[in-house]
């Protein structure tokens, strides 16, 4: 039974790559649904995280970091991020307290000026700076745009996150509970499993590989009379040299990726997992729309 005055709405998290959007989303939802990496542009699709309490439901959309595109995949990612601004009740513009204002922030602010949606400035990573440095930074941002609220947080430590959630509720309209209370994302498990595998590859491989990685789930099989889920997946790269790096000497890198990904997948599915990984080369896939569509990046959906 939904109580009277129940609040609900959609909130976009936007910002430069690597400001901590996925870390924040995972902190709020309480479990891992967005992959995290120290390399930019980890998030390629909109990830909806659903946060439900007795008096509100907040549906978060974690957008790809807005950046100057260098290929068709980059164009797609920026279009996804900008489309999110048009369809939400509130925008969280997240910035990095350590790095200060960059040209990328100014680029985003120019786009924020074109929307009527309320915008919160969320200054993340405050655990890494001296408190005296915060006020001048806030004033700098305020001089560029009129923000509805300015809230400093540490997504990693959890500082001020509850305050931010309460302020978000204050700005949301009264509305229905869109998702069941136990549901934390609208993505199918195939998508999340693929993201887990891609995250491990991002963490473990050298700089020339990460943005050339995509993951396709070939099959998820639950066999009768077995408590093990069998998952087969293919890691897509652009060059033969990248394939060699992903596989590693005597297959050690691929084995390590699989072991780490399996732990996350088992936590997600609540059962034992047998994970089989393959590596395939699709040359220059990020610049070919047919490949992008095959891998799930469908521009016509945005």
């Amino acid at each position: 039974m939904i109580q009277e005055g129940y609040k609900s709405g959609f909130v976009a998290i936007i910002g430069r790559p690597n400001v901590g959007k996925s870390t924040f989303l995972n902190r709020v939802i309480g479990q891992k649904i967005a992959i995290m990496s120290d390399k930019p542009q980890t998030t390629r699709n909109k990830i909806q995280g659903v946060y439900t309490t007795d008096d509100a439901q907040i549906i978060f959309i974690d957008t790809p970091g807005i950046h100057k595109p260098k290929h068709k995949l980059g164009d797609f990612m920026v279009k996804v991020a900008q489309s999110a601004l048009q369809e939400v009740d509130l925008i969280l513009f997240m910035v990095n307290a350590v790095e200060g204002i960059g040209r990328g922030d100014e680029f985003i602010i120019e786009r924020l000026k074109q929307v009527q949606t309320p915008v919160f400035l969320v200054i993340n990573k405050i655990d890494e700076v001296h408190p005296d440095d915060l006020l001048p930074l806030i004033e700098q941002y305020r001089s560029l745009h009129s923000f509805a609220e300015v809230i400093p947080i540490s997504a990693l430590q959890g500082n001020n996150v509850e305050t931010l959630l309460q302020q978000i509720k204050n700005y949301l309209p009264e509305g229905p509970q869109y998702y069941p209370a136990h549901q934390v994302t609208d993505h199918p498990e195939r998508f999340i499993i693929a993201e887990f595998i891609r995250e491990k590859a991002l963490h473990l491989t050298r700089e020339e590989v990460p943005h050339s990685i995509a993951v396709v789930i070939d099959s998820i099989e639950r066999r009768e009379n077995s408590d093990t889920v069998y998952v087969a997946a293919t890691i897509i790269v652009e060059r033969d040299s990248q394939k060699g790096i992903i596989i590693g000497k005597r297959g050690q890198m691929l084995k390590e990726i699989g072991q780490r990904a399996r732990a996350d997948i088992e936590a997600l599915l609540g059962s034992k997992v047998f994970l089989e990984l393959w590596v395939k080369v699709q040359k220059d896939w990020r610049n070919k729309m047919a490949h992008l569509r095959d891998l799930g990046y469908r521009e016509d959906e945005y």
Side-chain angles (χ1 to χ4, degrees), residues 118-135:
V119 181
F120 284 11
L121 175 66
V122 179
I123 303 177
N124 191 22
K125 306 190 182 184
I126 59 170
D127 53 305
E128 297 181 30
V129 298
H130 193 280
D132 291 347
D133 296 332
L134 269 181
L135 197 57

Side-chain angles (χ1 to χ4, degrees), residues 54-268:
D54 290 340
D55 61 349
Q57 185 171 81
I58 307 169
I59 298 102
F60 289 100
I61 300 171
D62 176 25
T63 62
I66 288 186
H67 59 287
K68 190 172 181 181
K70 295 179 181 175
H71 39 62
K72 283 192 171 69
L73 176 59
D75 287 335
F76 172 85
M77 289 159 67
V78 171
K79 283 180 182 176
V80 168
Q82 292 182 349
S83 74
L85 303 183
Q86 309 298 330
E87 56 191 38
V88 294
D89 300 291
L90 183 67
I91 297 167
L92 305 184
F93 172 39
M94 189 171 288
V95 299
N96 185 336
V98 180
E99 295 179 358
I101 296 179
R103 289 179 64 183
D105 293 316
E106 294 171 358
F107 178 80
I108 293 168
I109 287 170
E110 287 307 307
R111 273 137 190 83
L112 292 176
K113 288 177 180 176
Q114 299 167 20
V115 299
Q116 303 299 314
T117 312
V119 181
F120 284 11
L121 175 66
V122 179
I123 303 177
N124 191 22
K125 306 190 182 184
I126 59 170
D127 53 305
E128 297 181 30
V129 298
H130 193 280
D132 291 347
D133 296 332
L134 269 181
L135 197 57
L137 184 63
I138 290 170
E139 291 305 317
Q140 277 184 286
Y141 276 105
R142 281 198 183 279
S143 70
L144 296 175
H145 188 64
S146 178
F147 295 100
E149 302 287 346
V150 178
I151 303 175
I153 68 163
S154 168
L156 192 62
Q157 305 288 339
N159 304 356
N160 236 18
V161 170
E162 284 300 322
T163 301
L164 174 55
L165 290 171
Q166 187 54 54
Q167 284 288 66
I168 290 171
K169 289 180 189 178
N170 293 341
Y171 276 75
L172 292 184
E174 290 188 12
Q177 185 177 301
Y178 292 97
Y179 295 95
H182 66 273
Q183 188 170 339
V184 296
T185 183
D186 72 341
H187 275 303
E189 65 185 18
R190 294 177 84 93
F191 174 88
I192 299 172
I193 289 170
E195 288 289 87
F196 285 164
I197 296 166
R198 191 165 69 91
E199 177 187 49
K200 304 314 172 191
L202 284 170
H203 278 313
L204 290 168
T205 55
R206 294 205 294 263
E207 289 297 320
E208 66 265 36
V209 176
H211 300 314
S212 306
I213 290 175
V215 177
V216 175
I217 303 300
D218 301 310
S219 65
I220 300 175
E221 190 180 351
R222 292 171 169 82
R223 298 176 187 173
E224 278 188 48
N225 304 319
S226 172
D227 60 355
T228 300
V229 178
Y230 294 82
V231 178
T234 302
I235 299 173
I236 308 291
V237 294
E238 287 188 318
R239 299 194 295 274
D240 290 326
S241 60
Q242 293 168 344
K243 180 178 179 178
I245 291 167
I246 292 289
I247 293 172
K249 192 173 182 180
R250 296 178 182 170
Q252 279 303 111
M253 177 62 77
L254 192 62
K255 183 179 178 182
E256 181 72 12
I257 291 168
Q259 286 175 342
R260 295 193 185 189
R262 191 178 71 240
D264 277 354
I265 298 166
E266 287 180 340
L268 176 73

Side-chain angles (χ1 to χ4, degrees), residues 12-62:
I13 313 170
I14 203 156
R16 278 192 290 161
N18 206 28
V19 295
K21 299 185 294 294
S22 295
T23 305
F24 167 75
L25 186 60
N26 290 336
R27 158 75 60 176
V28 170
I29 302 308
Q31 70 184 70
K32 190 170 186 177
I33 59 167
I35 70 169
M36 294 177 289
S37 167
D38 57 358
K39 299 177 177 70
Q41 281 130 61
T42 304
T43 305
R44 288 184 185 157
N45 292 74
K46 291 188 292 189
I47 293 177
Q48 290 198 324
V50 185
Y51 172 77
T52 306
T53 64
D54 290 340
D55 61 349
Q57 185 171 81
I58 307 169
I59 298 102
F60 289 100
I61 300 171
D62 176 25

Side-chain angles (χ1 to χ4, degrees), residues 2-14:
I2 302 299
Q3 70 180 50
E4 192 176 338
Y6 194 85
K7 297 285 199 80
S8 64
F10 294 79
V11 178
I13 313 170
I14 203 156

